[in-house]
PDB file of all heavy atoms in Angstrom:
ATOM      1  N   ILE Z 305     103.030 124.204  87.489  1.00 97.00           N
ATOM      2  CA  ILE Z 305     102.821 122.739  87.280  1.00 97.00           C
ATOM      3  C   ILE Z 305     102.218 122.640  85.812  1.00 97.00           C
ATOM      4  O   ILE Z 305     101.326 123.443  85.550  1.00 97.00           O
ATOM      5  CB  ILE Z 305     101.889 122.044  88.235  1.00 97.00           C
ATOM      6  CG1 ILE Z 305     102.698 121.961  89.648  1.00 97.00           C
ATOM      7  CG2 ILE Z 305     101.524 120.630  87.816  1.00 97.00           C
ATOM      8  CD1 ILE Z 305     101.861 121.286  90.646  1.00 97.00           C
ATOM      9  N   MET Z 306     102.629 121.751  84.967  1.00 97.00           N
ATOM     10  CA  MET Z 306     102.089 121.505  83.635  1.00 97.00           C
ATOM     11  C   MET Z 306     102.067 119.985  83.390  1.00 97.00           C
ATOM     12  O   MET Z 306     102.850 119.191  84.060  1.00 97.00           O
ATOM     13  CB  MET Z 306     102.901 122.233  82.706  1.00 97.00           C
ATOM     14  CG  MET Z 306     104.345 122.012  82.566  1.00 97.00           C
ATOM     15  SD  MET Z 306     105.148 123.477  82.158  1.00 97.00           S
ATOM     16  CE  MET Z 306     104.909 124.648  83.264  1.00 97.00           C
ATOM     17  N   ALA Z 307     101.275 119.724  82.436  1.00 98.00           N
ATOM     18  CA  ALA Z 307     101.097 118.262  82.084  1.00 98.00           C
ATOM     19  C   ALA Z 307     100.854 117.949  80.760  1.00 98.00           C
ATOM     20  O   ALA Z 307     100.125 118.835  80.024  1.00 98.00           O
ATOM     21  CB  ALA Z 307     100.056 117.588  83.168  1.00 98.00           C
ATOM     22  N   PHE Z 318      92.789 115.233  85.146  1.00 97.00           N
ATOM     23  CA  PHE Z 318      93.829 115.979  85.662  1.00 97.00           C
ATOM     24  C   PHE Z 318      93.347 117.335  85.849  1.00 97.00           C
ATOM     25  O   PHE Z 318      93.599 118.051  86.918  1.00 97.00           O
ATOM     26  CB  PHE Z 318      95.104 115.859  84.697  1.00 97.00           C
ATOM     27  CG  PHE Z 318      96.319 116.464  85.361  1.00 97.00           C
ATOM     28  CD1 PHE Z 318      97.250 115.675  86.114  1.00 97.00           C
ATOM     29  CD2 PHE Z 318      96.687 117.769  85.147  1.00 97.00           C
ATOM     30  CE1 PHE Z 318      98.368 116.169  86.778  1.00 97.00           C
ATOM     31  CE2 PHE Z 318      97.836 118.393  85.731  1.00 97.00           C
ATOM     32  CZ  PHE Z 318      98.734 117.523  86.450  1.00 97.00           C
ATOM     33  N   SER Z 319      92.877 117.998  84.786  1.00 97.00           N
ATOM     34  CA  SER Z 319      92.449 119.475  84.829  1.00 97.00           C
ATOM     35  C   SER Z 319      91.415 119.654  85.860  1.00 97.00           C
ATOM     36  O   SER Z 319      91.554 120.615  86.659  1.00 97.00           O
ATOM     37  CB  SER Z 319      91.938 119.886  83.496  1.00 97.00           C
ATOM     38  OG  SER Z 319      92.863 119.638  82.583  1.00 97.00           O
ATOM     39  N   GLY Z 323      93.294 121.214  88.831  1.00 96.00           N
ATOM     40  CA  GLY Z 323      93.091 122.697  88.529  1.00 96.00           C
ATOM     41  C   GLY Z 323      94.063 123.315  87.625  1.00 96.00           C
ATOM     42  O   GLY Z 323      94.388 124.535  87.713  1.00 96.00           O
ATOM     43  N   VAL Z 324      94.750 122.422  86.963  1.00 96.00           N
ATOM     44  CA  VAL Z 324      95.968 122.900  85.966  1.00 96.00           C
ATOM     45  C   VAL Z 324      95.568 122.239  84.569  1.00 96.00           C
ATOM     46  O   VAL Z 324      95.340 121.029  84.581  1.00 96.00           O
ATOM     47  CB  VAL Z 324      97.256 122.183  86.510  1.00 96.00           C
ATOM     48  CG1 VAL Z 324      98.381 122.485  85.406  1.00 96.00           C
ATOM     49  CG2 VAL Z 324      97.655 123.011  87.772  1.00 96.00           C
ATOM     50  N   GLN Z 325      95.625 123.006  83.565  1.00 93.00           N
ATOM     51  CA  GLN Z 325      95.338 122.452  82.268  1.00 93.00           C
ATOM     52  C   GLN Z 325      96.368 121.394  81.855  1.00 93.00           C
ATOM     53  O   GLN Z 325      97.580 121.560  82.076  1.00 93.00           O
ATOM     54  CB  GLN Z 325      95.518 123.686  81.231  1.00 93.00           C
ATOM     55  CG  GLN Z 325      94.612 123.320  79.883  1.00 93.00           C
ATOM     56  CD  GLN Z 325      95.196 124.306  78.764  1.00 93.00           C
ATOM     57  OE1 GLN Z 325      95.870 125.104  78.881  1.00 93.00           O
ATOM     58  NE2 GLN Z 325      94.695 123.887  77.656  1.00 93.00           N
ATOM     59  N   CYS Z 326      95.872 120.331  81.232  1.00 97.00           N
ATOM     60  CA  CYS Z 326      96.825 119.354  80.662  1.00 97.00           C
ATOM     61  C   CYS Z 326      96.667 119.283  79.134  1.00 97.00           C
ATOM     62  O   CYS Z 326      95.561 119.279  78.645  1.00 97.00           O
ATOM     63  CB  CYS Z 326      96.291 117.916  81.238  1.00 97.00           C
ATOM     64  SG  CYS Z 326      97.302 116.535  80.626  1.00 97.00           S
ATOM     65  N   ILE Z 327      97.670 119.319  78.473  1.00 97.00           N
ATOM     66  CA  ILE Z 327      97.634 119.374  76.895  1.00 97.00           C
ATOM     67  C   ILE Z 327      98.180 118.067  76.342  1.00 97.00           C
ATOM     68  O   ILE Z 327      98.626 117.210  77.158  1.00 97.00           O
ATOM     69  CB  ILE Z 327      98.481 120.586  76.402  1.00 97.00           C
ATOM     70  CG1 ILE Z 327      99.943 120.433  76.884  1.00 97.00           C
ATOM     71  CG2 ILE Z 327      98.005 121.883  76.983  1.00 97.00           C
ATOM     72  CD1 ILE Z 327     100.905 121.450  76.170  1.00 97.00           C
TER      73      ILE Z 327
END
Side-chain angles (χ1 to χ4, degrees):
I305 290 180
M306 55 212 60
F318 187 91
S319 303
V324 169
Q325 199 200 354
C326 175
I327 59 172

